[in-house]
């Protein structure tokens, strides 16, 4: 398993259903798959405060051997001198079982999948510094496919683990060290709450190089005022948020908008008809649109799913007026595309080299201030 390509992050149905909020849009199509847990929800016992003090509860952290995020695609040079940032990365959903509402940490399959996700999604950040990626009792994919209260309870329980891991991360990292936050899908959802609860209005906000909250909708007016950081408006900005949700054209996201419009944001105000945050990963948020020549490299796996290569100039990117990132004609990057030309599972790989360069450049600008 460990030798298989990171980017089984686009393999099996896991990657098609790892979309959290997005998958709720396709609830009617996926109900027949019966991913909703059949077990009674059991409240998880809270971890003791020292749970994350050792290596066992981390996929990656300084001093732990076998960091999955150290993987690099063919043609990507390893950084001669790693950056000075501390990176906190929250992986997406990897548990598709029905036996539990929250994934047990001894579930081998979901833990192996999470490692593979980290190899594909966290690897762009690894050259910017030391990677910290916690294990956590993630909500099962079925939590996103039901209106039962157990679904939200499972997400709330998973978030408590993330909070504990983050507090340990902050306690162990040097007090003046710059921080990069990143997550995708369920991981991005937890990151939005983390920004609200642990960053907004607190001294640590001054240490944030950037937060990459990718693959989850964020309302510019109903969420961001409570998240403590503004949107990135250019590659030189620091202490800001990068966020996008990728669609090829023609994009069909009406069902996603319908679910989004039915929810309230962190301010308590409705998200209905509010713009979603979209920062273009090809130009650091400097403009809504960028040509494909600005794409430094899209990650594509080989046929055997063992390695991958970077394709320069594969896709352009343009934020539309609703806040979705449009990438033009559907690229041939892999078969795991959601209905409506939704490239959710490829949010990071589509712009792998740009994300890597963006994180390194923002760190440089942060250190110059």
């Amino acid at each position: 398993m460990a030798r298989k390509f990171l980017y089984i992050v686009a393999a099996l149905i896991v990657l098609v259903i790892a979309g959290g909020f997005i998958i709720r849009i396709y609830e009617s199509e996926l109900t027949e798959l019966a991913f909703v847990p059949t077990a009674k929800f059991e409240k998880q016992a809270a971890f003791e405060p020292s749970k994350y003090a050792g290596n066992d509860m981390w996929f990656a952290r300084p001093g732990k051997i076998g960091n999955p995020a150290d993987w690099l695609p063919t043609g990507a040079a390893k950084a001669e001198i790693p950056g000075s940032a501390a990176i906190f990365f929250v992986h997406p959903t990897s548990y598709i079982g029905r036996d539990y509402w929250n994934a047990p940490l001894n579930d081998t399959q979901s833990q192996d999948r999470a490692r593979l996700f980290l190899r594909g999604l966290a690897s762009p950040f690894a050259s910017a510094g030391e990677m910290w990626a916690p294990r956590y009792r993630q909500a099962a994919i079925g939590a996103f496919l039901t209106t039962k209260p157990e679904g939200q309870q499972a997400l709330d329980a998973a978030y408590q683990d993330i909070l504990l891991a983050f507090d340990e991360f902050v306690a162990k990292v040097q007090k003046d060290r710059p921080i990069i936050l990143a997550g995708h899908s369920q991981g991005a959802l937890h990151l939005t709450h983390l920004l609200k609860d642990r960053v907004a209005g607190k001294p640590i906000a001054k240490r944030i190089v950037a937060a990459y909250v990718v693959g989850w909708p964020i309302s510019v007016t109903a969420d961001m005022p409570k998240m403590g950081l503004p949107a990135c408006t250019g590659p030189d900005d620091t202490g800001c948020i990068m966020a996008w949700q990728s669609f090829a054209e023609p994009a069909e996201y009406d069902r996603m908008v319908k679910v989004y419009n039915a929810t309230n944001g962190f301010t308590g105000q409705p998200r209905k008809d509010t713009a979603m945050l979209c920062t273009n990963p090809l130009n650091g948020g400097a403009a809504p649109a960028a040509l494909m020549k600005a794409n430094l490299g899209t990650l594509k796996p080989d046929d055997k799913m063992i390695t991958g290569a970077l394709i320069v100039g594969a896709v352009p990117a343009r934020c539309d007026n609703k806040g979705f990132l449009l990438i033009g004609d559907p690229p041939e990057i892999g078969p795991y595309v959601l209905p409506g030309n939704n490239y959710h599972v490829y949010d990071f790989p589509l712009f792998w080299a740009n994300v890597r360069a963006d994180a390194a450049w923002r760190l440089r600008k942060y250190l110059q201030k």
Side-chain angles (χ1 to χ4, degrees):
M1 178 67 72
R3 293 181 59 234
K4 289 188 177 179
F5 179 50
L6 70 98
Y7 202 56
I8 289 183
V9 82
L12 304 176
I13 197 167
V14 168
L15 292 185
V16 180
I17 65 174
F21 180 98
I22 291 173
I23 293 306
R24 289 175 57 197
I25 311 309
Y26 306 108
E27 181 175 352
S28 59
E29 292 91 334
L30 294 175
T31 298
E32 65 187 24
L33 298 179
F35 283 111
V36 176
T38 56
K40 179 182 178 181
F41 179 81
E42 296 183 6
K43 185 176 180 180
Q44 297 183 131
F47 283 146
E48 62 273 18
S50 62
K51 183 67 174 180
Y52 285 90
N55 285 345
D56 290 347
M57 286 300 296
W58 299 88
F59 289 116
R61 64 165 290 171
K64 184 178 176 72
I65 298 173
N67 180 356
D70 282 342
W71 180 92
L72 287 174
T74 301
K78 184 176 181 179
E80 294 184 5
I81 303 176
S84 60
I87 303 142
F88 188 81
F89 190 98
V90 186
H91 72 76
T93 310
S94 64
Y95 179 68
I96 62 174
R98 302 175 62 206
D99 295 334
Y100 304 93
W101 283 94
N102 289 90
L105 293 174
N106 62 357
D107 180 74
T108 302
Q109 289 187 336
S110 64
Q111 296 297 286
D112 285 344
R113 290 186 192 115
R115 291 184 181 91
L116 291 170
F117 291 168
L118 288 167
R119 293 177 69 187
L121 307 179
S123 55
F125 300 99
S127 62
E130 293 181 334
M131 180 68 62
W132 296 68
R135 301 171 65 209
Y136 67 104
R137 294 171 292 183
Q138 63 187 277
I141 189 62
F144 298 101
L145 299 172
T146 182
T147 57
K148 294 179 180 179
E150 290 91 332
Q152 187 59 52
Q153 290 172 336
L155 285 165
D156 293 343
Y159 178 57
Q160 295 308 306
D161 288 0
I162 296 300
L163 277 177
L164 196 62
F166 184 74
D167 289 345
E168 176 67 19
F169 164 78
V170 172
K172 288 292 175 64
V173 170
Q174 297 92 324
K175 301 304 180 185
D176 59 348
R177 192 165 192 179
I179 293 171
I180 292 174
L181 303 176
H184 184 254
S185 199
Q186 181 174 164
L189 166 62
H190 295 315
L191 202 57
T192 63
H193 288 272
L194 196 67
L195 286 165
K196 176 176 66 71
D197 297 336
R198 289 291 191 269
V199 174
K202 296 178 173 59
I204 196 173
K206 296 179 180 179
R207 296 169 58 190
I208 305 299
V209 175
Y212 297 80
V213 190
V214 178
W216 194 268
I218 300 171
S219 170
V220 172
T221 57
D223 289 318
M224 289 193 65
K226 293 293 186 179
M227 290 171 64
L229 300 178
C232 296
T233 59
D236 293 350
D237 287 356
T238 61
C240 58
I241 299 173
M242 291 289 291
W244 62 89
Q245 301 168 88
S246 309
F247 280 78
E249 299 179 73
E252 300 174 6
Y253 45 63
D254 289 348
R255 286 175 292 185
M256 182 172 183
V257 172
K258 182 178 180 180
V259 170
Y260 174 82
N261 282 344
T263 62
N264 291 333
F266 289 146
T267 65
Q269 298 301 308
R271 294 188 177 106
K272 181 177 174 60
D273 296 330
T274 64
M276 300 177 194
L277 177 61
C278 180
T279 53
N280 196 317
L282 295 185
N283 58 32
L291 301 176
M292 62 177 60
K293 66 181 181 180
N295 193 320
L296 302 177
T298 292
L299 178 60
K300 183 177 181 180
D302 70 356
D303 292 340
K304 295 182 180 180
M305 306 293 280
I306 299 297
T307 186
L310 295 176
I311 303 173
V312 177
V315 296
R318 172 176 62 87
C319 293
D320 72 1
N321 59 3
K322 290 186 180 295
F324 294 100
L325 187 70
L326 306 184
I327 60 172
D329 294 335
E332 294 183 4
I333 185 175
Y336 302 98
V337 179
L338 292 170
N341 274 331
N342 187 339
Y343 275 69
H344 173 73
V345 297
Y346 303 103
D347 281 325
F348 274 123
L350 282 164
F351 314 106
W352 192 96
N354 288 80
V355 172
R356 190 187 198 205
D358 188 273
W361 183 257
R362 288 189 201 278
L363 175 59
R364 180 178 177 181
K365 289 300 178 181
Y366 175 92
L367 295 173
Q368 290 175 349
K369 293 182 178 181

